[in-house]
């Protein structure tokens, strides 16, 4: 939610900030703005809409030569998308400018205090109060001390970057609960909400921790805590390349990411899946191996697509590792009274590693003494750092707002976890080896499905006019029905419901008529016949059906209007295959409707507010 970037160095700041904003745009695209120190003044430009609008505005105005600046792309929380509500915000004097990602919970209280002290507000945002608070303290304290004082008064979350006309060779940044990285270049620094905006400049980064404040000048940086005590920080190397964050010839990031899945799954299992031993080796869990052996329960906490991968994991772990699993929406978990103890592992699944609810759930679990684990894609993210142990996806940056490659990578890692825990318990070598050798084939099988993209587009064209869809699957493919429905909702704005096919008779069937098609995930598995009965019931009521079926299943054509075939694999591994046509179907429907696939309306890639 919201992306922030700042630059201080010798190059012109505007192109760097705009390029960075484009990389961060997936975090929100309601409006964008920049503030640049240009000689003795600060130039501020804002625009409602996407970063391209701001870029147009900038190209129409006089060239800005300043080499220090901050910028923001907004996902609106307090106040509608408008120029006034866009960041950067400035104080009454217009000298201090600030960008903010996060939420200030006590902003009304602080605002009334500031109003009483004569401050004038231009926006409806919570963020603007911070800059006025700094201005207020700056009357008596120096700039840095004023920032620290303001931070002490704030309740909530923030990633902040602040510039001040009176101290023009400086950017102050601070973090509490919202991600912030500091890229360290040759006599230049780039700060940003995530690595995608930094990698084109440097692969040397400092991950700021909660409660840390950094002061950047042209050739130096200093990190302090909120009490102004100096903290020494380690410089880490980013493991993302520039190329990974480009579209590489694909029309959209989403398509690139769908097509990358054979590779990202391969990366997830490489060196970890040991086919010969029917085992998995997970280096990130080595230190907690003993605890895993004695676990009584795993609780998976996650949101969105990551929640659905958790549901697949539940089927895996209970059936093959013999361990009870609960999967919880992180947003619900944090407000329940979860029953946890030291023999429970709470496993967070998160692509970004920054989702506020998932992070809060992990913190709650830690408080209650549970072992905390993570399956996280973004290296160095908060969830990755705060969990006791974990496994990285290493799937590279996922830029499309609708998650695709992160999902299949998460499911692959859950499969590895199942092998690891299962083989510690009563999974036999023969079973382990069978699963491992079939898993090793998955990337090649996905390549075959991806080649059907054109065929899936043809089917998408036939269904473009429908406003509602029912997605159905059973057992391992029930979570895939949910994920398929989510994809088409997110990017094509089509109403869709995911349902376990066995539940169809308890409600959804009432919706079925010729205008309400169904998508049945019906591989040749242990529930095949039951799914076929469900399909017949839909057909009998005039409903159209698209079936996702196993190659060689000739029977299926009798029951479906259209069929997309997926290769044969073990029943438990079908979710990794069946989800691909559903990703492509949603993608093609959205493209045919000329929608902005990578940046669907109202959504953000990383939900860092509650
Ligand atoms: C948002 C994104 C989804 C994602 C979910 C969880 O809703 O739009 O694509 O699945 O957050 O994000 P996480 O980064 O924790 O996996």
């Amino acid at each position: 939610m919201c992306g922030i970037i700042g630059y201080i160095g010798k190059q012109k700041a505007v192109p760097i900030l705009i390029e960075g904003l484009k990389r961060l745009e997936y975090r929100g695209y309601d409006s964008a703005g920049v503030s640049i120190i240009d000689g003795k003044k600060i130039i501020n430009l804002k625009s409602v809409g996407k970063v391209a609008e701001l870029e147009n505005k900038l190209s129409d105005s006089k060239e800005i030569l300043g080499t220090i600046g901050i910028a923001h792309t907004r996902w609106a929380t307090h106040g509608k998308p408008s120029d006034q509500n866009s960041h950067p915000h400035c104080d009454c004097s217009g000298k201090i400018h600030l960008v903010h990602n996060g939420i200030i919970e006590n902003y009304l209280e602080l605002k009334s205090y500031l109003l009483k002290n004569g401050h004038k507000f231009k926006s409806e945002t919570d963020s603007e109060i911070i800059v006025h608070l700094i201005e207020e303290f700056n009357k008596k304290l120096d700039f840095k001390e004023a920032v620290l004082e303001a931070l002490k008064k704030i309740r909530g979350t923030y990633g902040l970057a602040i510039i001040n006309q009176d101290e023009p060779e400086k950017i102050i940044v601070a973090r509490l609960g919202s991600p912030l990285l500091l890229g360290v270049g040759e006599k230049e620094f780039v700060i940003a909400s995530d690595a995608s905006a930094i990698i084109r400049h440097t692969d040397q980064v400092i991950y700021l921790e909660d409660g840390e404040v950094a002061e950047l000048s042209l050739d130096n940086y200093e990190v302090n805590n909120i009490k102004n005590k100096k903290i020494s920080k380690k410089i880490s190397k980013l493991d993302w390349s520039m190329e990974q964050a480009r579209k590489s010839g694909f029309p959209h990031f989403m398509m690139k990411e769908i097509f990358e899945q054979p590779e990202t799954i391969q990366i997830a299992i490489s060196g970890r899946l040991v086919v010969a031993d029917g085992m998995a080796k997970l280096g990130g869990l080595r230190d907690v191996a003993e605890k895993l052996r004695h676990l009584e329960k795993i609780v998976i906490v996650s949101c969105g697509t990551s929640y659905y991968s958790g549901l697949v994991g539940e089927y895996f772990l209970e059936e093959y590792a013999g361990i009870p699993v609960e999967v919880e929406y992180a947003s619900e978990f944090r407000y329940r009274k979860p029953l946890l103890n030291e023999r429970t592992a709470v496993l967070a699944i998160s692509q970004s590693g920054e989702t506020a609810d998932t992070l809060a759930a992990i913190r709650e679990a830690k408080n209650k003494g549970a072992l905390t684990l993570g399956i996280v894609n973004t290296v160095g993210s908060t969830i990755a750092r705060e969990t006791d142990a974990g496994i990285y996806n290493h799937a590279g940056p996922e830029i499309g707002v609708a998650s695709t490659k992160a999902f299949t990578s998460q499911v692959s890692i859950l499969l590895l976890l199942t092998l690891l825990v299962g083989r510690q318990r009563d999974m036999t070598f023969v079973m382990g080896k069978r699963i491992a050798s079939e898993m090793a084939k998955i990337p090649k099988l996905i390549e075959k499905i991806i080649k059907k993209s054109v065929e899936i587009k043809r089917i998408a064209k036939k269904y473009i006019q429908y406003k509602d869809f029912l997605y159905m699957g059973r057992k391992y493919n029930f979570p895939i029905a949910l994920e398929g429905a989510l994809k088409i909702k997110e990017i094509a704005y089509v109403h869709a419901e995911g349902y376990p096919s066995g539940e169809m008779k308890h409600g959804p069937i009432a919706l079925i008529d010729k205008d309400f098609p169904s998508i049945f995930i019906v591989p040749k598995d242990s529930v095949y016949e039951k799914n076929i009965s469900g399909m017949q019931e839909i057909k009998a009521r005039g409903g159209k059906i698209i079936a996702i079926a196993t190659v060689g299943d000739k029977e299926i054509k009798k029951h479906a209007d259209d069929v997309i075939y997926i290769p044969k694999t073990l029943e438990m591994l079908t979710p990794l295959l069946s989800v691909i046509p559903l990703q492509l179907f949603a993608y093609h429907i959205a493209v045919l409707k000329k929608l902005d696939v990578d940046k669907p309306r109202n959504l953000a890639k990383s939900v860092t507010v509650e």
Side-chain angles (χ1 to χ4, degrees):
M1 310 251 121
C2 299
I4 65 176
I5 178 159
Y7 175 78
I8 179 163
K10 297 270 178 239
Q11 304 184 57
K12 271 187 259 167
V14 166
I16 294 172
L17 297 178
I18 292 295
E19 153 71 25
L21 283 186
K22 285 185 182 162
R23 305 250 165 248
L24 296 171
E25 204 172 14
Y26 69 86
R27 302 175 67 86
Y29 28 85
D30 289 329
S31 67
V34 287
S35 285
I36 310 284
I37 299 186
D38 202 45
K40 289 209 167 64
K41 56 183 192 313
I42 294 184
I43 299 179
N44 173 253
L45 266 173
K46 303 169 175 193
S47 184
V48 174
K50 301 205 167 124
V51 176
E53 304 289 331
L54 175 69
E55 200 177 13
N56 287 340
K57 237 185 191 175
L58 281 161
S59 61
D60 290 345
S61 66
K62 204 171 133 260
E63 194 183 8
I64 306 171
L65 302 172
T67 67
I68 299 169
I70 54 176
H72 185 273
T73 177
R74 178 168 186 247
W75 189 84
T77 56
H78 296 62
K80 62 180 184 305
S82 68
D83 282 359
Q84 285 85 347
N85 289 333
S86 305
H87 301 224
H89 293 291
C90 68
D91 65 345
C92 300
S93 70
K95 288 183 175 177
I96 306 175
H97 288 229
L98 158 148
V99 287
H100 170 224
N101 166 212
I103 286 191
I104 305 305
E105 288 161 8
N106 57 337
Y107 84 104
L108 286 174
E109 182 190 309
L110 293 170
K111 192 168 182 174
S112 77
Y113 158 77
L114 289 162
L115 284 168
K116 276 190 210 129
N117 281 282
H119 290 262
K120 301 257 176 315
F121 288 83
K122 293 182 247 0
S123 78
E124 305 154 275
T125 66
D126 54 338
S127 310
E128 194 188 350
I129 64 108
I130 312 171
V131 74
H132 289 277
L133 212 51
I134 296 170
E135 178 183 34
E136 183 63 24
F137 294 125
N138 197 205
K139 288 177 188 164
K140 293 209 176 104
L141 303 171
D142 74 19
F143 177 34
K144 168 99 175 282
E145 286 164 353
V147 170
L148 293 174
E149 207 46 41
L151 297 183
K152 287 181 198 150
K153 299 279 181 283
I154 288 169
R155 244 190 2 257
T157 56
Y158 52 78
L160 290 172
I162 314 150
I163 51 174
N164 183 350
Q165 193 176 300
D166 289 341
E167 299 201 26
E169 302 216 318
K170 191 182 283 182
I171 302 183
I172 296 182
V173 300
R175 160 188 176 148
L176 186 75
S178 299
L180 206 55
L181 275 80
L182 168 60
V184 183
E186 270 294 307
K187 291 204 178 299
E188 61 177 7
F189 298 101
V190 188
I191 61 105
S193 303
D194 77 37
S196 63
I198 292 182
I199 38 174
R200 104 188 304 253
H201 305 283
T202 176
D203 62 359
Q204 302 294 301
V205 294
I206 291 174
Y207 295 103
L208 289 182
E209 303 285 343
D210 280 351
E212 291 182 347
V213 181
E215 189 176 353
L216 316 174
S217 59
L218 282 165
D219 50 13
N220 196 20
Y221 70 90
E222 184 174 310
V223 182
N224 295 68
N225 68 14
I226 204 159
K227 293 188 179 135
N228 215 5
K229 192 162 169 281
K230 197 169 169 186
I231 297 169
S232 105
K233 298 290 292 182
K234 186 172 113 240
I235 299 185
S236 314
K237 192 172 180 311
L238 279 178
D239 72 343
W240 286 359
S241 73
M242 195 45 215
E243 188 47 38
Q244 283 178 310
R246 287 204 185 106
K247 275 190 217 154
S248 314
F250 285 95
H252 300 98
F253 279 111
M254 183 176 177
M255 186 170 214
K256 173 184 178 243
E257 288 157 8
I258 292 174
F259 276 60
E260 272 174 0
Q261 289 175 104
E263 193 189 332
T264 48
I265 293 179
Q266 191 57 54
I267 291 168
I269 61 177
S270 284
R272 293 169 167 173
L273 185 73
V274 191
V275 177
D277 299 339
M279 267 293 286
K281 267 200 314 207
L282 296 170
L285 299 186
R286 203 179 299 126
D287 293 348
V288 295
E290 252 335 277
K291 286 195 174 161
L292 285 181
R293 214 178 279 279
H294 299 108
L295 280 186
E296 282 172 353
K297 182 170 83 170
I298 297 177
V299 180
I300 300 178
V301 288
S302 42
C303 303
T305 289
S306 300
Y307 173 78
Y308 297 143
S309 74
L311 289 181
V312 179
E314 179 180 25
Y315 281 89
F316 283 168
L317 284 155
E318 292 205 331
E319 185 167 354
Y320 290 94
I323 182 160
V325 176
E326 286 165 23
V327 191
E328 292 244 20
Y329 282 114
S331 54
E332 288 298 314
F333 176 89
R334 62 187 291 193
Y335 290 112
R336 286 201 314 112
K337 197 176 165 210
L339 301 176
L340 308 172
N341 60 34
E342 67 284 359
R343 293 181 76 172
T344 309
V346 176
L347 167 63
I349 305 179
S350 177
Q351 187 287 126
S352 62
E354 301 293 349
T355 301
D357 286 321
T358 311
L359 180 58
I362 278 296
R363 287 178 177 163
E364 176 63 15
K366 247 190 177 167
N367 272 340
K368 296 225 153 62
L371 171 71
T372 57
L373 305 174
I375 297 178
V376 174
N377 190 33
T378 308
V379 175
S381 57
T382 315
I383 295 174
R385 283 178 291 128
E386 291 203 11
T387 38
D388 296 319
I391 311 139
Y392 278 122
N393 296 91
H394 295 305
E398 191 181 63
I399 311 283
V401 165
S403 184
T404 51
K405 66 174 178 177
F407 176 80
T408 47
S409 174
Q410 289 161 351
V411 171
S412 304
I413 290 177
L414 286 160
L415 190 278
L416 297 177
L417 185 64
T418 305
L419 279 174
L420 181 84
V421 178
R423 295 283 280 115
Q424 281 180 342
R425 292 166 191 237
D426 56 5
M427 186 193 290
T428 62
F429 164 71
V430 175
M431 177 57 80
K433 194 161 175 193
R434 180 143 183 257
I435 295 172
S437 57
E438 289 304 314
M439 181 65 211
K441 295 179 195 156
I442 291 291
K444 284 262 167 303
L445 300 184
I446 293 184
E447 271 170 24
K448 292 189 181 168
I449 307 173
I450 281 167
K451 289 198 182 118
K452 291 174 187 270
S453 179
V454 175
E455 178 191 332
I456 294 170
K457 182 174 178 184
R458 188 182 46 74
I459 296 174
K461 267 187 192 151
K462 274 175 71 178
Y463 288 83
I464 187 119
Q465 78 275 23
Y466 293 103
K467 295 194 169 56
D468 310 277
F469 281 88
L470 191 59
Y471 281 67
M472 270 170 302
R474 197 160 183 161
K475 214 176 157 186
Y476 282 98
N477 283 296
F478 161 51
I480 302 304
L482 298 173
E483 172 59 7
L486 178 64
K487 284 290 88 88
I488 201 164
K489 274 188 273 211
E490 283 179 308
I491 60 166
Y493 316 145
V494 173
H495 165 241
E497 295 202 34
Y499 244 85
S501 44
E503 274 290 298
M504 186 186 83
K505 293 195 269 309
H506 301 286
I509 198 160
L511 296 166
I512 296 300
D513 63 15
K514 64 177 183 15
D515 297 319
F516 204 129
S518 303
I519 299 192
F520 258 87
I521 310 161
V522 54
K524 276 268 189 183
D525 59 10
S526 61
V527 286
Y528 177 76
E529 267 89 30
K530 297 192 192 307
N531 272 325
I532 294 287
S533 308
M535 288 170 74
Q536 281 169 333
E537 285 153 17
I538 296 274
K539 277 271 117 208
R541 283 149 185 93
K544 288 204 173 323
I545 295 180
I546 304 173
I548 312 295
T550 306
V551 71
D553 180 357
K554 298 208 174 74
E555 171 80 13
I556 199 77
K557 288 203 166 145
K558 291 188 210 146
H559 309 290
D561 298 271
D562 292 279
V563 182
I564 304 168
Y565 286 108
I566 56 172
K568 284 194 187 107
T569 184
L570 284 186
E571 174 168 358
M572 70 183 302
L573 299 178
T574 51
L576 286 165
L577 304 185
S578 59
V579 75
I580 312 287
L582 302 185
Q583 295 170 343
L584 284 166
F585 184 71
Y587 171 81
H588 287 302
I589 295 256
V591 173
L592 289 164
K593 288 173 112 181
K594 302 201 176 358
L595 297 172
D596 190 345
V597 175
D598 285 336
K599 298 186 208 90
R601 69 183 179 207
N602 305 339
L603 297 178
K605 179 88 188 143
S606 176
V607 181
T608 52
V609 294
E610 201 182 327

